[in-house]
Amino acid sequence: MDKFMQAAFDEAKKGLEEGGIPIGAVLVVNGEIKGRGYNQRVQKESAVLHAEIDCIEKAGRLTARDYKNSVLYTTLSPCDMCSGAALLYKIPKIVIGENINFKGAEDYLQSRGIEVEVLNDESCILQMKDFIKKNSALWNEDIGE
Amino acid sequence: MDKFMQAAFDEAKKGLEEGGIPIGAVLVVNGEIKGRGYNQRVQKESAVLHAEIDCIEKAGRLTARDYKNSVLYTTLSPCDMCSGAALLYKIPKIVIGENINFKGAEDYLQSRGIEVEVLNDESCILQMKDFIKKNSALWNEDIGE
């Protein structure tokens, strides 16, 4: 996988090692990683710090111009909330590690003009599949089921 | 205004007193306030803690059943991110203080089956109008402009 998806995957692995949900994300602005994050449901008892939200938060307060020149990399297809965050900040492109285990609001993002690229990377698919199999209740909680 | 919108408005006022953006929200589950929050862009240098996100976070990890029996009260029409959070958790109803100063994703929420009630309360309108007039750069940053 490319270096930015690898960085997102590394975040996901960090989360897994901490006993959390293994989803990671990075926000790349003008070709540089400005924020890295991963799902914090378990670690911080958080209902809102999905990987993408955590990563956007850690990137700090950016300008509209920064967001306009950014790409969001996430290991898993973004849910409605995370897709909404990308729409709020007009992030023009999202690269998605996989959408086999969960498919979020990709169609809606595209209808709103955001470029969506799905890699369906084998490592992302397998790590998530294994996690969901072993932690179905936690996973369902994370996607509001 | 009713007691729940008053509670959201009180949160907004708290934010204003701290030098922040005066938008507040409460999450009501089975008729009881489970979470209160307000915009934290200034106070926590946060790009993601809009009032609704802050309030959902402060409500903690709830069950799908809790969310199903909840109503989100917010002093201002919710942006794409906050609307997405309501969609993620299938919050069935959102009561909005006003949508004169900003109109978020209300139509999309309705198209996805969420009930939206807009009060256009005079206190909410005036507080926000005055704030935007005096803090246009900060306000634009908050809505990704």
Side-chain angles (χ1 to χ4, degrees), chain B residues 72-87:
Chain B
L72 179 62
Y73 288 77
T74 174
T75 57
L76 186 67
S77 184
C79 79
D80 283 310
M81 174 177 65
C82 298
S83 298
L87 287 167

Side-chain angles (χ1 to χ4, degrees), chain B residues 32-45:
Chain B
E32 265 183 54
I33 296 178
K34 277 281 182 187
R36 300 166 194 261
Y38 53 100
N39 188 297
Q40 303 283 347
R41 178 168 299 273
V42 172
Q43 295 92 324
K44 294 188 180 167
E45 298 285 338

Side-chain angles (χ1 to χ4, degrees), chain A residues 41-42 45-50 53 56-57 60-62 64 67 79-81 84-85 87-90 108 112 138 141-145, chain B residues 41-42 45-50 53 56-57 60-62 64 67 79-81 84-85 87-90 108 112 138 141-145:
Chain A
R41 178 169 298 274
V42 171
E45 298 285 337
S46 175
V48 305
L49 291 174
H50 277 188
I53 299 286
I56 290 169
E57 181 72 335
R61 289 171 61 180
L62 304 179
Y67 289 119
C79 78
D80 283 310
M81 174 177 65
L87 288 166
L88 166 63
Y89 288 122
K90 303 175 187 69
Y108 182 58
R112 293 277 304 270
L138 180 57
E141 182 191 327
D142 204 54
I143 54 169
E145 299 287 344
Chain B
R41 178 168 299 273
V42 172
E45 298 285 338
S46 176
V48 305
L49 291 175
H50 277 188
I53 299 287
I56 290 170
E57 182 72 335
R61 288 170 61 181
L62 304 178
Y67 288 120
C79 79
D80 283 310
M81 174 177 65
L87 287 167
L88 166 63
Y89 289 122
K90 302 176 186 69
Y108 181 58
R112 294 276 305 270
L138 180 56
E141 182 191 327
D142 204 54
I143 54 169
E145 299 288 345

Side-chain angles (χ1 to χ4, degrees), chain A residues 89-114:
Chain A
Y89 288 122
K90 303 175 187 69
I91 293 171
K93 183 174 178 179
I94 304 182
V95 182
I96 296 170
E98 64 112 344
N99 68 1
I100 304 292
N101 290 297
F102 176 79
K103 189 177 176 195
E106 292 171 23
D107 297 342
Y108 182 58
L109 285 166
Q110 286 176 312
S111 79
R112 293 277 304 270
I114 293 191

Side-chain angles (χ1 to χ4, degrees), chain B:
Chain B
M1 63 184 110
D2 87 351
K3 66 177 180 175
F4 295 131
M5 187 53 71
Q6 183 65 54
F9 187 72
D10 289 347
E11 292 295 304
K13 277 198 296 188
K14 220 184 286 179
L16 188 65
E17 283 159 18
E18 292 174 5
I21 302 175
I23 306 170
V26 298
L27 184 68
V28 175
V29 179
N30 291 315
E32 265 183 54
I33 296 178
K34 277 281 182 187
R36 300 166 194 261
Y38 53 100
N39 188 297
Q40 303 283 347
R41 178 168 299 273
V42 172
Q43 295 92 324
K44 294 188 180 167
E45 298 285 338
S46 176
V48 305
L49 291 175
H50 277 188
E52 301 89 331
I53 299 287
D54 188 50
C55 147
I56 290 170
E57 182 72 335
K58 285 175 176 159
R61 288 170 61 181
L62 304 178
T63 64
R65 177 183 283 261
D66 286 333
Y67 288 120
K68 198 182 162 188
N69 292 307
S70 73
V71 180
L72 179 62
Y73 288 77
T74 174
T75 57
L76 186 67
S77 184
C79 79
D80 283 310
M81 174 177 65
C82 298
S83 298
L87 287 167
L88 166 63
Y89 289 122
K90 302 176 186 69
I91 293 171
K93 184 174 177 179
I94 304 181
V95 182
I96 296 170
E98 63 112 345
N99 66 2
I100 304 293
N101 291 297
F102 175 79
K103 189 178 176 195
E106 293 171 21
D107 297 342
Y108 181 58
L109 285 167
Q110 286 177 312
S111 79
R112 294 276 305 270
I114 293 191
E115 186 185 344
V116 172
E117 187 182 341
V118 181
L119 305 180
N120 277 334
D121 172 88
E122 201 64 21
S123 306
C124 291
I125 295 170
L126 289 177
Q127 179 163 272
M128 202 61 215
K129 190 180 174 186
D130 185 54
F131 179 83
I132 291 172
K133 200 175 159 189
K134 293 174 182 161
N135 303 273
S136 61
L138 180 56
W139 171 239
N140 284 336
E141 182 191 327
D142 204 54
I143 54 169
E145 299 288 345

